[in-house]
Amino acid sequence: MSLSISFVGDGLTAGGSWAEWFPEYDVTNLGLSGNTTTELVSGLDAMIASAPDVIVILAGTNDLGWRKSDEYVVRNLETILYRLRRALPATRILIQSVFPRHPDFALTIRSINRHIRQYAATQHALYLDLWPVLALANGEIDPQFSSDQLHLTDEGYQVWLDQLRPALEVLFAGSPTTSSIPIQHA
């Protein structure tokens, strides 16, 4: 029986070919274009009912499009992690950093990512920081990875996948842990 992975999030997650990229696992893509953290909180019961072996979360960027504060996004992400951990104590959870966008969002995104990195450990979730491989020095998403400062190009998905694959290997190698996953720099 293969292990199950649920990819949860917004259009960035929805756009991924996760089942194709991870054929060795039973993959469910629960990403939905336009999803905010509020929609993810509302959908937690269904996610919990499916009880996957691993949940991979990417959320928060759409909240910024609605001008939600970093505190709002952090509170929702913390709620998601807390409720998942409480309901699914044996499920491995990987939460990923909010991706860079336009430089105007950089300070808010960095604040969200800093808080979630710290909180993830308290819920025995791993944190995968993709900011270093996707962002330019000014906090903008690297144009080679996005043509509109939000959605990913094929190259953007490849960079994400190159970081995600080893992170999942670490996640599957042991029991749920409290440490974050270091990024391999080329």
Side-chain angles (χ1 to χ4, degrees):
M1 182 166 97
S2 71
L3 296 170
S4 60
I5 303 177
S6 288
F7 288 87
V8 178
D10 52 33
L12 293 166
T13 298
S17 300
W18 308 114
E20 176 186 326
W21 295 333
F22 295 100
E24 64 273 31
Y25 303 116
D26 179 18
V27 172
T28 303
N29 187 344
L30 300 175
L32 186 61
S33 185
N35 256 1
T36 65
T37 57
T38 302
E39 278 92 22
L40 291 183
V41 169
S42 297
L44 280 174
D45 290 339
M47 195 184 322
I48 289 166
S50 69
D53 296 307
V54 171
I55 297 174
V56 178
I57 303 165
L58 177 68
T61 198
N62 287 331
D63 295 76
L64 300 175
W66 290 101
R67 300 294 181 205
K68 299 296 183 185
S69 68
D70 51 346
E71 292 88 358
Y72 180 90
V73 177
V74 166
R75 184 173 54 250
N76 279 345
L77 291 172
E78 287 176 349
T79 298
I80 292 164
L81 289 173
Y82 174 78
R83 287 188 50 203
L84 288 174
R85 177 53 60 220
R86 189 179 70 195
L88 301 170
T91 295
R92 293 171 174 95
I93 301 170
L94 174 68
I95 188 162
Q96 300 164 100
S97 59
V98 176
F99 289 3
R101 291 181 61 165
H102 187 276
D104 291 350
F105 294 103
L107 289 176
T108 303
I109 294 172
R110 284 185 176 122
S111 174
I112 293 166
N113 289 342
R114 182 176 48 255
H115 284 90
I116 293 307
R117 175 192 294 264
Q118 294 168 353
Y119 186 76
T122 71
Q123 299 305 308
H124 302 278
L126 291 177
Y127 176 83
L128 177 59
D129 187 1
L130 294 158
W131 185 274
V133 296
L134 293 174
L136 298 176
N138 69 351
E140 176 183 7
I141 190 165
D142 190 320
Q144 69 179 324
F145 304 137
S146 177
S147 60
D148 64 359
Q149 296 182 320
L150 178 60
H151 300 95
L152 295 178
T153 60
D154 289 342
E155 293 81 9
Y157 274 104
Q158 188 58 55
V159 167
W160 184 5
L161 188 59
D162 289 345
Q163 300 302 315
L164 184 58
R165 190 173 301 284
L168 288 173
E169 290 172 12
V170 169
L171 198 64
F172 278 125
S175 62
T177 181
T178 60
S179 62
S180 55
I181 299 170
I183 290 288
Q184 300 292 325
H185 295 286

